Amino acid sequence: MHFDRLWRGGRLATLDESREGLGLVEDGAVGCVGGRIAFVGAVLPEGWTAGEVIELEGRLVTPGLIDCHTHLVFAGDRADEFEMRLRGETYETIAAAGGGIVSTVARTRAASEAELVATALERLDRLLAEGVTAIEVKSGYGLDLDSELKMLRAARALEDARSVSVATSLLAAHTLPPEHRDSREAYVSKVVEKIIPAAVGLADAVDAFCESNAFTPDEVRRVFDAAKAHGLPVRLHADQRTAGGGAQLAAEYGALSADHLERTNAAGARALAAAGTVAVLLPGAFYALRDEEKPPVALLRAAGVRMAVATDCNPGSSPLTSLLTAVNMAVILFGLTVDEALAGVTREAARAIGRWDQMGSLEVGKACNLAIWDATRPVELAYWLGRNSLHSRVFQGEPS
Ligand code: DI6
Ligand code: FE
């Protein structure tokens, strides 16, 4: 067997489900052909050759990390609102007074596509520096046809500018745009009839914010019915600030993921398990909003729901550009095990973006995306706070 490139002598956390836990392989090798994994294991096939051999010197290797829930494309910031919250205002009172998401909408509408790409790249580079090789990016700060498409194009452009895979989600149902304050129904109709059809080809999924100050379950149903009619999978921001049956709603539509879930109950957890919907936990938002309700991790675990972990990087509720910090927060604040948190930024994150067939584990046939760590034990990735232990990163077989 001839490999384009071979890495050997490492401790592999394969995340292969046919193996236990993180699927550790001691003194293992990964062989790559044409950007894909052609061999993973401890005993190389006889007579192998390779264009290049890279010695791992005992380092830990994981699949490239996947940040499966971000709002990476936006203009400006909301540091002023952060200060207001520090003085006692809440996310909801700020939004009700005309701040919040719509203030980012105004700035994002005014920004050019090139400006959106440039500011997103600055944040993306921080994620990549920690071994991320795939991200999801949502629209949702445009809230009109042109601006939503501009955001999606900017998200797609990231893939051309860096060695990373980008999955896009149309989040036109993020909040009501100011010009529709008195015409909710008309805005939902616009999303259903104009924005979703126009986003086909640019969006890989459709997301919505089901929340008392965003969209009702019935409005989300209209959006999801349109998504399904256009062949797009759905995801949902569910039960974050208020308990609204969001998990059940996501499950009803066989959503790829239900995200946040701070206020999900046992019935919601069972519904997610039955639907095979991934629970995406976002400790950055929980932390930055000083939320007092945690997602029901014990219930999710007991029900057998797969759990992913992501940054939710956005200018309002989660100004977090470090997926390793999200891993640390997931174990410290939410009580995930180290194995669960690491599976949450690899295997389960791949499922949440609908790409488990292509990435998220070290298995033959998948993209050769590797994160090589100056660490030997997986726990080290969760243990340090603010230390980036990445040694190097490989995207589709190319060291980068
Ligand atoms: N939930 C969140 O945490 C973000 N969006 C959402 O639906 C917040 C986005 C923002 O505040 O800008
Ligand atoms: Fe979000």
Side-chain angles (χ1 to χ4, degrees), residues 1 16 46 93 110 207 228 239 253 260 276 304 316 325 343 372 375 392:
M1 190 169 218
D16 179 342
E46 228 161 277
T93 55
D207 198 341
K228 293 263 150 168
D239 306 326
Y253 280 83
H260 287 289
T325 302
I372 302 170
S392 53

Side-chain angles (χ1 to χ4, degrees), residues 195-336:
I195 305 183
I196 289 176
V200 171
L202 264 181
D204 297 312
V206 169
D207 198 341
F209 194 15
C210 186
E211 194 56 57
S212 59
N213 64 0
F215 294 94
T216 67
D218 280 340
E219 289 165 341
V220 171
R221 281 193 181 88
R222 288 188 61 201
V223 171
F224 280 5
D225 285 336
K228 293 263 150 168
H230 286 88
L232 290 167
V234 300
R235 311 180 54 161
L236 187 65
H237 283 71
D239 306 326
Q240 181 191 6
R241 307 293 290 164
T242 50
Q248 287 91 331
L249 178 57
E252 179 186 324
Y253 280 83
L256 286 173
S257 72
D259 304 46
H260 287 289
L261 305 178
E262 276 81 346
R263 285 156 181 85
T264 294
N265 58 20
R270 284 193 299 270
L272 293 177
T277 295
V278 178
V280 178
L281 307 182
L282 304 165
F286 168 88
Y287 170 84
L289 296 182
R290 290 179 171 154
D291 202 341
E292 281 163 6
E293 296 273 342
K294 299 182 183 191
V297 166
L299 292 177
L300 294 168
R301 192 185 281 137
V305 179
R306 298 178 181 284
M307 293 182 279
V309 173
T311 61
D312 194 17
C313 178
N314 76 70
S317 63
S318 189
L320 174 62
T321 58
S322 166
L323 191 54
L324 289 177
T325 302
V327 165
N328 175 276
M329 288 178 170
V331 298
I332 294 282
L333 301 177
F334 289 174
L336 264 63

